C-alpha cells in the first residue's frame, strides 16, 4: 500500500503542500539525542539547571531578593497560586453558586433571603 502511494507521487505532492515546521525536525532530534541516555536524576538536574538559568536571566527582574525570604523562587508561585485560589473561591461563593442556592431554597419551600415565597 505504501509503495503504491509513493509511486503515484502522492507523498511528494503532499509534502509540497505543507509549510515547513517552524522549529524544524533537527531541533527535536538533537533534543532527543542529547537526553535519551540520561537517568531520571540527571535529566531532572539538567532541567532544573536550565529552568533556574532561564528564570534568573529572563524573569529575575520581577523577583525582589529582599522580599523572597527563605522560600526563594517558589514563593512567587505560591503567592500566585494562593491569589488564584482565593479569586476562584470568591467567584464560586459570591457569583456562581448564589443563584442556584436561592432557586433550590425556593424549590424546597424554605423562603430564605431573596427567595420567592412558595405558592399555596
Amino acid at each position: 500500500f505504501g509503495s503504491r502511494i509513493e509511486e503515484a507521487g502522492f507523498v511528494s505532492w503532499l509534502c509540497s503542500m505543507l509549510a515547513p515546521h517552524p522549529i524544524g525536525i533537527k531541533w527535536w532530534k538533537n533534543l532527543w539525542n542529547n537526553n535519551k541516555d540520561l537517568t531520571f536524576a540527571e535529566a531532572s538536574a539538567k532541567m532544573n539547571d536550565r529552568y533556574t538559568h532561564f528564570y534568573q536571566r529572563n524573569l529575575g527582574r520581577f523577583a525582589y531578593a529582599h522580599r523572597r525570604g527563605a522560600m526563594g523562587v517558589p514563593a512567587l508561585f505560591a503567592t500566585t497560586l494562593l491569589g488564584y485560589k482565593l479569586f476562584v473561591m470568591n467567584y464560586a461563593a459570591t457569583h456562581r453558586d448564589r443563584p442556584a442556592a436561592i432557586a433550590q431554597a425556593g424549590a424546597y419551600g424554605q423562603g430564605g433571603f431573596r427567595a420567592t415565597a412558595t405558592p399555596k
Side-chain angles (χ1 to χ4, degrees):
F1 179 75
S3 62
R4 287 189 298 169
I5 290 176
E6 290 174 8
E7 289 174 1
F10 178 75
V11 173
S12 62
W13 174 78
L14 182 63
C15 290
S16 67
M17 296 286 290
L18 298 174
H21 195 275
I23 298 176
I25 193 74
K26 189 184 291 185
W27 187 84
W28 295 106
K29 283 184 175 180
N30 287 337
L31 183 68
W32 170 252
N33 288 331
N34 292 339
N35 297 312
K36 67 180 179 180
D37 296 326
L38 297 176
T39 64
F40 181 77
E42 292 170 342
S44 180
K46 186 175 178 182
M47 184 181 72
N48 189 27
D49 187 47
R50 289 187 57 130
Y51 165 75
T52 304
H53 283 106
F54 173 81
Y55 183 85
Q56 290 176 349
R57 291 173 183 160
N58 298 318
L59 303 173
R61 63 182 176 265
F62 301 113
Y64 298 103
H66 65 281
R67 294 187 181 176
R68 287 192 299 191
M71 194 169 171
V73 173
L76 297 172
F77 298 118
T79 305
T80 303
L81 290 175
L82 179 65
Y84 178 73
K85 180 169 178 61
L86 291 174
F87 171 76
V88 169
M89 288 171 54
N90 182 36
Y91 169 75
T94 58
H95 297 2
R96 187 192 67 188
D97 293 342
R98 185 183 296 170
I102 292 170
Q104 188 172 2
Y108 284 99
Q110 295 172 348
F113 175 68
R114 288 189 180 176
T116 54
T118 306
K120 295 184 180 184

